[in-house]
Amino acid sequence: MALAGLPLVLLVGALGRIPGSEGGKETPAHFLYQWKAECRFLNGTQRVRYLDRDIYNGQEIDYFDSDLGKFVAVTPLGQPDVDYWNSNEQYVQYLKAAVDSFCRSNYEIGSYEAAKREERV
C-alpha cells in the first residue's frame, strides 16, 4: 500500500505543574501531545484511507480510521475520549467525510514526479 501522507503535527507543551492527578501526585512539568492526520492512497484516489491519530508523550493513545468508521483506543488513557467521540454521530460523519474533503482534495498537491534526468553519453 503506497503511503502519500500529509502528516500534520500539532505540538502542545505545558509549563506549569497541575496538581490532582495520578493518585495525588503532580503531573509532569512538561508533556508532549501530537495530532497527526494521514491519508493512505491505493490505486490513486480509487481507494483512500484516512487516519487521525492522537499521541501523548510519544505513545499513540487513540485513532480514527475511516475504514472502520470509528475511533479506537490504543491505551486506557484514550478510552474516555474514544467513548465520547464515538457517541457524537455528527463528529464521526465529519471525519468519515475527510476522505473526500481532506485526502482526495489534496491528492494532486502531495503527488509529484521527480524531474527526469538527462543521461550523459
Side-chain angles (χ1 to χ4, degrees):
M1 177 185 254
L3 173 64
L6 297 173
L8 301 176
V9 180
L10 175 66
L11 304 175
V12 179
L15 298 176
R17 290 188 175 266
I18 303 168
S21 64
E22 299 178 29
K25 297 178 186 176
E26 292 182 344
T27 57
H30 301 280
F31 65 91
L32 178 67
Y33 172 80
Q34 295 174 298
W35 168 76
K36 294 183 180 183
E38 182 179 324
C39 298
R40 294 186 177 187
F41 297 94
L42 182 65
N43 295 334
T45 58
Q46 296 299 314
R47 175 137 158 58
V48 182
R49 183 178 181 193
Y50 173 72
L51 297 167
D52 185 309
R53 303 174 184 276
D54 290 314
I55 300 159
Y56 179 78
N57 281 345
Q59 182 178 10
E60 183 178 20
I61 58 173
D62 56 51
Y63 65 92
F64 175 82
D65 186 340
S66 65
D67 282 356
L68 297 175
K70 66 178 184 175
F71 284 90
V72 177
V74 177
T75 66
L77 182 62
Q79 191 62 49
D81 290 335
V82 165
D83 293 340
Y84 175 75
W85 292 327
N86 283 333
S87 69
N88 185 342
E89 192 59 36
Q90 282 185 320
Y91 187 53
V92 171
Q93 290 299 322
Y94 171 78
L95 288 176
K96 285 181 184 177
V99 169
D100 292 321
S101 63
F102 179 68
C103 295
R104 286 193 176 106
S105 67
N106 289 313
Y107 180 75
E108 294 297 323
I109 296 169
S111 301
Y112 62 91
E113 291 183 19
K116 293 184 179 179
R117 300 175 114 185
E118 293 183 20
E119 293 184 25
R120 294 184 180 180
V121 181

